[in-house]
Amino acid sequence: MQSHALKHYLAAGAVSLTALFAGFNAAAADVVKIGVLAPLTGPSAADGADFVRGVELAVEEQNAKGGVAGHTFEIVSADVKDGSPDNVSSAAQRLINTDGIEVVLTGYASLSLFEVDLFADANLPYLSSGPSGPFAEIVSKDPGNYNCCWSLSPSYKGYETDVLPLVEGLISKGTFKASNKKIAMISSDNPYSKAISEGMKSSFAAAGWTLTVDEMVPFGPVNDWRASLAKVRQDPPALIVNTDYQPANSALFLQQFLDQPTQSLVFLQYAPSVPEFVELTKEKSNGVLYNLIGGAIDSPNWPRGQEVNKKLSDKYGVKPGVYGSALYEEATIYFKALEKVGDPTDHDAIGKAIGEVTYDAAPGPVAFDPATHLALQDDNHIPVTFWQIWDGKRTLISPTKYSTGEIKLPPWIKQ
């Protein structure tokens, strides 16, 4: 009698334990890991921190709502460090080989985007907000083979072409009384900076502008710009452009330019959008121009951009850069795709669903081009936005329908 009861108890216990462990396994299976590929150390660490904050906030909000399709989320990050091929490859493979990671998000990893092929080979959904030229070049050869991979960054052609009409518009209106049609171009030896500088040179040359300086510096930290600036001052141009995107380099360039400024507009590529740039330059940043493709539209005329930026600022106590909002929206796009598909492990369906997402995101209305897998860039989708810094604040000066103020001549120009 006792033996039978004991056997019955043990059997019942075994069933209970089996059910208990099955419950644990089910709960574990419901947690989807989101990989974040980011420069967490090195010269672009400020951007990397922004990447992580954007995804972290999106995950926290979605988990608080109960997740998506029965799944909640956690983040696994991997450091690409200086963005070298070895470091990017190592970080990407770490995420690909981590059990439970069903999607990888990034602002940028390598500037050549070679990692797109790694994620395509692994059939792992991958969303980027980095250089769109290499991305489109890779994907457009065989879009079907890259169904997993999509870019929230639209075409960067606007970076190459749209500075010219802005500057010529200022001249034609008499806002800027340029003494010549000359441009000095300084770039950094990396695919992003070089592509933009080459495109801008072609654009200005076609409009009859003369190139007075064409300088290329090695990629990495720059400790002294005075040799380049001495060349600029030999034949002062109406416009000086530096496409080195690293905030510390760009801040030093501006500071050394202001030691002996020429009567030139100064346009700096991307770097002024990073909060670190204003921290380094303070009031010296007044009057600097830059533009963005894919940055949050921080304007009352586009509430989504202000909403996302405010949430990030309130949460972390720092002003977000471009990539806080971009990665927040990448996560949102993934959640929308997962809600449609239901199964996070069905990577083919998830990739297809990502490409079909359309919605009003922080950088503008999002829809994807099936031929390149880039977000569309035009007046009805993600625009090219132009900004000017004054008193530590960024004024959106173009396009007109989103603008929050008008351009002013920088304090070093006297006319």
Side-chain angles (χ1 to χ4, degrees):
M1 181 81 176
Q2 289 177 338
S3 176
H4 176 77
L6 181 60
K7 288 179 182 179
H8 177 77
Y9 176 80
L10 290 173
V15 171
S16 298
L17 286 171
T18 301
L20 179 62
F21 283 117
F24 279 136
N25 289 335
D30 286 341
V31 177
V32 172
K33 294 178 183 177
I34 297 177
V36 179
L37 204 56
L40 301 175
T41 58
S44 299
D47 276 350
D50 216 27
F51 294 11
V52 175
R53 287 192 291 262
V55 182
E56 187 176 67
L57 179 59
V59 164
E60 181 180 295
E61 289 181 347
Q62 203 62 49
N63 284 346
K65 295 175 185 176
V68 177
H71 305 281
T72 56
F73 307 94
E74 65 181 44
I75 298 169
V76 179
S77 60
D79 187 7
V80 302
K81 301 177 182 177
D82 60 355
S84 67
D86 285 348
N87 286 330
V88 171
S89 181
S90 176
Q93 290 293 350
R94 180 191 158 203
L95 295 180
I96 289 168
N97 295 330
T98 298
D99 288 343
I101 288 183
E102 307 296 352
V103 65
V104 174
L105 311 178
T106 191
Y108 55 84
S110 75
L111 296 180
S112 66
L113 275 294
F114 75 87
E115 70 275 7
V116 170
D117 279 314
L118 300 180
F119 291 106
D121 289 344
N123 195 28
L124 184 61
Y126 181 60
L127 270 162
S128 168
S129 291
S132 57
F135 192 101
E137 185 177 351
I138 292 168
V139 169
S140 60
K141 293 175 183 176
D142 185 3
N145 188 51
Y146 296 94
N147 190 49
C148 60
C149 302
W150 299 86
S151 172
L152 188 57
S153 288
S155 168
Y156 277 1
K157 286 296 180 184
Y159 280 146
E160 302 172 21
T161 61
D162 287 19
V163 176
L164 173 66
L166 176 80
V167 172
E168 292 198 328
L170 294 175
I171 294 171
S172 65
K173 291 176 184 176
T175 304
F176 175 43
K177 297 178 176 62
S179 59
N180 56 54
K181 291 182 68 173
K182 296 179 179 179
I183 177 174
M185 178 68 68
I186 299 168
S187 181
S188 174
D189 191 6
N190 67 81
Y192 170 86
S193 298
K194 287 197 294 186
I196 293 171
S197 67
E198 290 301 315
M200 288 181 67
K201 284 187 290 187
S202 297
S203 173
F204 276 86
W209 285 63
T210 301
L211 186 67
T212 61
V213 173
D214 187 5
E215 188 89 352
M216 178 80 70
V217 301
F219 180 57
V222 179
N223 298 317
D224 195 340
W225 292 99
R226 284 175 291 192
S228 298
L229 286 166
K231 297 176 184 177
V232 171
R233 294 181 181 117
Q234 288 175 4
D235 187 5
L239 176 65
I240 300 169
V241 175
N242 189 332
T243 64
D244 187 317
Y245 68 89
Q246 295 181 86
N249 288 352
S250 195
L252 181 62
F253 178 85
L254 177 63
Q255 290 164 343
Q256 292 185 336
F257 164 77
L258 290 174
D259 289 341
Q260 190 182 339
T262 56
Q263 297 299 289
S264 315
L265 296 174
V266 174
F267 180 91
L268 303 176
Q269 181 65 35
Y270 175 71
S273 69
V274 182
E276 179 187 357
F277 177 87
V278 175
E279 293 168 8
L280 291 169
T281 56
K282 297 183 170 60
E283 72 281 353
K284 291 184 177 181
S285 62
N286 284 351
V288 164
L289 296 167
Y290 68 99
N291 63 6
L292 290 174
I293 299 175
I297 301 174
D298 190 1
S299 166
N301 296 326
W302 191 252
R304 177 64 175 182
Q306 290 196 319
E307 173 197 345
V308 173
N309 274 351
K310 184 178 186 305
K311 288 198 290 188
L312 287 162
S313 295
D314 290 348
K315 169 72 175 176
Y316 297 104
V318 296
K319 293 180 180 179
V322 171
Y323 289 104
S325 59
L327 273 288
Y328 179 92
E329 297 293 29
E330 285 183 17
T332 302
I333 289 169
Y334 174 69
F335 297 149
K336 288 179 178 293
L338 179 56
E339 185 175 23
K340 182 176 182 179
V341 174
D343 180 3
T345 66
D346 189 347
H347 293 170
D348 288 333
I350 291 289
K352 182 174 184 293
I354 288 172
E356 293 170 349
V357 168
T358 59
Y359 89 111
D360 290 346
V366 170
F368 291 100
D369 177 4
T372 63
H373 292 193
L374 303 181
L376 296 175
Q377 192 277 298
D378 56 44
D379 290 345
N380 297 315
H381 293 93
I382 295 178
V384 181
T385 55
F386 281 86
W387 307 76
Q388 188 176 42
I389 299 177
W390 280 98
D391 299 326
K393 297 180 181 178
R394 294 168 169 81
T395 300
L396 179 53
I397 57 176
S398 179
T400 303
K401 68 178 179 178
Y402 298 124
S403 65
T404 59
E406 295 184 356
I407 191 171
K408 297 187 288 187
L409 284 181
W412 62 83
I413 292 183
K414 311 300 180 186
Q415 64 177 41

